[in-house]
Amino acid sequence: MLLLFWILAAYGMTTIIVYGSIFESLRDWIISKSTFFGKLITCVLCTSTWVGFFFSLLFGGLANRYYQIPWYLALFADGMFTAGAVWMLNSIVEFFEENRIK
């Protein structure tokens, strides 16, 4: 249940940051100030990695619940897991958006 919550919450947060109109002016400002951070905030895979790091710090880590590893490795593992899960879910959603019946 925790994994499902983690993935759906990360997907929602990533989608809002990358595509949401509420952050559009902030995204435009970041893009105008920095090429690196502009690319970072418009990329689902990049943004979801940082969302995973944030969730790991906020919720105490996902990997720590299953493995006895140092916190910094758990932080890295949580970021990578989140990026992969959000990317996979986003790919499925995009597939159905592109192939819907017209």
Side-chain angles (χ1 to χ4, degrees):
M1 192 63 160
L2 177 63
L3 287 175
L4 181 62
F5 170 76
W6 185 284
I7 292 168
L8 292 177
Y11 175 75
M13 187 172 188
T14 300
T15 302
I16 290 170
I17 292 171
V18 174
Y19 301 119
S21 61
I22 192 169
F23 288 114
E24 188 171 2
S25 59
L26 179 61
R27 268 194 317 273
D28 291 342
W29 182 80
I30 291 171
I31 289 168
S32 72
K33 298 296 180 191
S34 171
T35 304
F36 174 77
F37 288 110
K39 288 181 181 179
L40 187 74
I41 203 158
T42 57
C43 168
V44 170
L45 193 58
C46 306
T47 304
S48 61
T49 303
W50 288 98
V51 167
F53 294 155
F54 174 72
F55 276 13
S56 185
L57 292 172
L58 184 67
F59 299 126
L62 185 63
N64 285 341
R65 299 187 194 286
Y66 300 104
Y67 305 104
Q68 295 293 328
I69 57 176
W71 69 270
Y72 51 88
L73 292 178
L75 181 74
F76 179 76
D78 291 345
M80 298 305 105
F81 169 76
T82 305
V86 168
W87 176 81
M88 185 174 55
L89 190 55
N90 187 62
S91 296
I92 293 167
V93 168
E94 284 183 350
F95 173 80
F96 283 110
E97 284 178 351
E98 292 173 2
N99 295 305
R100 65 180 165 217
I101 299 172
K102 297 177 184 176

